[in-house]
Amino acid sequence: MSLAQIEYFVAVSETGHVGRAAEALRIAQPAVSRQIRNLEDELGARLFVRSARGMQLSEAGDVFLEHARAILAQIDDARRAVQARGRRSGEP
Amino acid sequence: MSLAQIEYFVAVSETGHVGRAAEALRIAQPAVSRQIRNLEDELGARLFVRSARGMQLSEAGDVFLEHARAILAQIDDARRAVQARGRRSGEP
DNA sequence: GGAGTTTACGAATGTCGTAACTATC
DNA sequence: GATAGTTACGACATTCGTAAACTCC
């Protein structure tokens, strides 16, 4: 599991399409498709139901989405907190 | 920022040494040293005070450590939650 | 001089993009 | 036949490990 995979997953969840997500992320579709598949393989669960019109969250995917957003938010918090503290007392 | 960097950082924080952390992580020292440096560069703050006897958390590092642990815990939560749900209603 | 960290460099791994394939409507 | 996702494959980038160099007691 990588942060990129989590970001890709959230993008696909929000757009409902691998293609739209890839466009928003400024990368090509296959990269997104592969990472989603890798993530599903690692977790041992299908996160999306594939249909001919796009990607719909499965139950497991729905559960994961909340956690994924929390993780990304926490990463952001961490970055902000350490940068604020780092500037105050840190480097030359 | 990557999950590996966060794991390496926590390991160095807990052991107080790059070498001990590397041993615990089952990888070589330089890999840990580089990732810590990359993390510091990206965050724009020194996370450790280097001394001749090891690595001590700086103030910024202390702040980051709490967040780092929270992130890893949340990753674990996510994994557990989606696996529990995935097995129940998911794959063939 | 010894314990510990960092730099240098080649090897291995992973990720990406283009192009071709598959499937569903 | 059009739309959307996946597979194949070569190119690019990142990360790793071994070996050597550096630093502070």
Side-chain angles (χ1 to χ4, degrees), chain B:
Chain B
M1 176 149 37
S2 73
L3 295 180
Q5 286 173 340
I6 297 173
E7 286 164 12
Y8 296 179
F9 165 79
V10 172
V12 173
S13 300
E14 289 176 345
T15 60
H17 298 267
V18 173
R20 307 282 170 78
E23 191 178 357
L25 293 164
R26 303 292 206 143
I27 62 179
Q29 289 95 337
V32 178
S33 181
R34 271 185 307 246
Q35 294 293 358
I36 297 292
R37 173 74 61 169
N38 290 349
L39 181 59
E40 289 178 322
D41 286 353
E42 182 188 336
L43 291 172
R46 288 277 164 273
L47 299 175
F48 293 100
V49 179
R50 275 83 169 163
S51 80
R53 281 193 297 288
M55 313 275 281
Q56 188 188 2
L57 279 173
S58 69
E59 283 189 38
D62 204 54
V63 169
F64 189 67
L65 179 57
E66 298 177 41
H67 290 272
R69 286 187 169 133
I71 291 163
L72 296 182
Q74 202 127 34
I75 295 269
D76 233 48
D77 282 0
R79 193 175 268 124
R80 252 195 296 275
V82 73
Q83 282 175 349
R85 178 64 63 108
R87 298 210 193 297
R88 210 180 318 144
S89 66
E91 69 276 41

Side-chain angles (χ1 to χ4, degrees), chain A:
Chain A
M1 175 149 36
S2 73
L3 295 180
Q5 286 174 339
I6 297 174
E7 287 164 10
Y8 296 0
F9 166 78
V10 171
V12 173
S13 300
E14 288 176 346
T15 60
H17 299 267
V18 172
R20 306 282 171 78
E23 190 178 358
L25 293 163
R26 303 293 206 143
I27 61 179
Q29 289 96 337
V32 178
S33 181
R34 271 185 306 244
Q35 294 293 358
I36 297 292
R37 172 74 59 170
N38 291 349
L39 181 59
E40 289 179 321
D41 286 353
E42 182 188 336
L43 291 173
R46 288 277 163 274
L47 299 175
F48 293 100
V49 178
R50 274 84 168 163
S51 80
R53 279 194 299 287
M55 312 274 282
Q56 189 188 0
L57 279 173
S58 69
E59 283 189 38
D62 203 53
V63 169
F64 189 66
L65 179 57
E66 297 177 41
H67 290 271
R69 286 187 170 133
I71 291 164
L72 295 181
Q74 203 127 34
I75 295 271
D76 234 47
D77 282 0
R79 193 175 270 124
R80 252 194 296 275
V82 73
Q83 282 175 349
R85 179 63 63 109
R87 297 209 194 298
R88 210 180 316 146
S89 66
E91 70 278 41

